[in-house]
């Protein structure tokens, strides 16, 4: 793969959690191409969420570079990095992280508040949020409902809509299906892949569940891409 085609490129990245945990992660080389969907498998505690934090720039590597859409995120100041993340990356957290007292539409529009270019791409943002709700199978009258009144499945769709709005070039998802039964998992992935295919979005999803693999362009495992070290207990 040519570097110029990569939406995400990690090179010689090393990170060690400070303090007592003595967990360190080294990733020599990882890239995701434009439009590519990649499933990253790894058991619990193997550093998947740490890797996603490095990709999102919420933690910075001790060594090496993390480039998103060609920009080395460690080269940005804190405020510029927060804005860059909001512009470039749609994030689906394991626990969805919705604002409980915010409405559905407030939650979906949240990343646009920090990302003027992404907001411009979303056009009329409130209508776009409603369109995404419809595309994701949420009832149209749900947009003013408070997030804490939604079912888990509805919360998940809102989390997907929030990641997709304004078409960020990269979506990262941290075990978004772990709390779902098999049928809901299939429905969730159908929705996610339909949306990413429409917009040529790249997708990096981490999971401990190898059964998800057949849907993705590429399946990799933490042990293949990363060196993990921890102090002996
Ligand atoms: P996974 O997502 O694969 O379950 P994590 O990246 O969450 O793995 O955690 C890997 C290890 O990193 C943990 O076992 C812990 O030692 C360390 N770790 C994770 N988060 C933190 C943190 N916020 N502070 C200190 N150490 C952490
Ligand atoms: Mg995790």
């Amino acid at each position: 793969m040519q570097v110029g085609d990569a939406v995400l490129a990690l090179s010689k990245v090393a990170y060690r959690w400070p303090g007592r945990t003595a967990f360190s992660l080294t990733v020599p080389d990882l890239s995701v191409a434009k439009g590519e969907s990649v499933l990253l498998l790894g058991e619990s505690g193997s550093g998947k969420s740490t890797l996603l934090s490095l990709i999102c720039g919420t933690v910075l590597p001790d060594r090496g570079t993390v480039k998103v859409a060609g920009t080395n995120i460690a080269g940005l100041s804190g405020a510029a990095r927060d804005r860059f993340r909001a512009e470039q990356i749609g994030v689906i957290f394991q626990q969805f992280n919705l604002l409980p007292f915010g409405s559905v539409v407030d939650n979906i529009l949240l990343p646009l508040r920090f990302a003027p270019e992404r907001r411009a791409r979303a056009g009329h943002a409130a209508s776009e949020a409603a369109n995404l709700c419809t595309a994701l199978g949420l009832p149209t009258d749900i947009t003013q409902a408070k997030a804490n009144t939604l079912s888990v499945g509805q919360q998940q769709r809102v989390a997907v809509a929030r990641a997709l709005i304004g078409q960020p070039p990269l979506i990262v998802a941290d075990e978004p299906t772990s709390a779902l039964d098999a049928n809901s998992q299939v429905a969730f992935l159908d929705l996610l892949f339909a949306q990413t295919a429409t917009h040529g979005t790249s997708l990096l999803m981490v999971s401990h569940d190898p059964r998800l693999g057949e849907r993705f362009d590429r399946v990799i495992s933490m042990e293949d891409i990363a060196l993990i070290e921890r102090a002996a207990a």
Side-chain angles (χ1 to χ4, degrees):
M1 179 196 309
Q2 291 193 334
V3 174
D5 296 328
V7 167
L8 174 66
L10 279 72
S11 175
K12 300 186 177 66
V13 166
Y15 181 73
R16 184 183 200 282
W17 278 110
R20 291 178 294 120
T21 53
F23 178 91
S24 72
L25 185 67
T26 308
V27 183
D29 181 33
L30 170 66
S31 48
V32 177
K34 177 168 167 42
E36 188 182 27
S37 61
V38 177
L39 179 66
L40 176 58
L41 295 172
E43 57 197 38
S44 182
S46 62
K48 302 181 300 297
S49 294
T50 300
L51 179 60
L52 292 190
S53 298
L54 286 160
I55 289 167
C56 292
T58 47
V59 302
L60 296 178
D62 301 327
R63 293 192 302 280
T65 55
V66 177
K67 287 188 178 178
V68 174
T71 296
N72 177 9
I73 41 185
L76 302 171
S77 71
R81 199 161 54 240
D82 290 343
R83 179 180 153 181
F84 181 82
R85 179 187 316 118
E87 293 282 13
Q88 303 292 335
I89 308 178
V91 187
I92 305 172
F93 299 95
Q94 189 164 2
Q95 304 300 333
F96 309 138
N97 289 16
L98 301 181
L99 301 173
F101 301 108
S103 69
V104 165
V105 68
D106 288 344
N107 271 283
I108 295 172
L109 298 182
L110 192 64
L112 305 184
R113 201 184 287 181
F114 313 106
E117 289 163 25
R118 189 169 161 188
R119 184 169 59 221
R121 276 200 303 274
H124 187 285
S127 320
E128 184 57 22
N131 292 342
L132 280 166
C133 285
T134 308
L136 291 166
L138 286 165
T140 32
D141 59 3
I142 211 170
T143 52
Q144 296 308 321
K146 297 275 183 279
N148 63 4
T149 65
L150 305 179
S151 72
V152 172
Q154 289 171 332
Q155 289 177 45
Q156 193 174 50
R157 286 164 163 79
V158 173
V160 175
R162 183 175 61 181
L164 291 170
I165 195 158
Q167 300 157 34
L170 176 65
I171 307 264
V172 301
D174 195 352
E175 309 214 33
T177 64
S178 54
L180 300 179
D181 61 49
N183 286 340
S184 309
Q185 281 189 11
V186 170
F188 170 79
L189 292 174
D190 285 346
L191 299 168
L192 190 57
F193 279 107
Q195 292 288 311
T196 55
T198 307
H199 297 297
T201 312
S202 304
L203 173 64
L204 176 64
M205 183 183 292
V206 304
S207 179
H208 61 265
D209 185 355
R211 288 170 301 180
L212 303 175
E214 62 192 29
R215 308 286 301 261
F216 288 76
D217 295 329
R218 190 153 56 102
V219 181
I220 53 184
S221 68
M222 281 301 279
E223 55 193 31
D224 291 338
I225 61 138
L227 179 68
I228 298 149
E229 290 178 280
R230 61 182 98 230

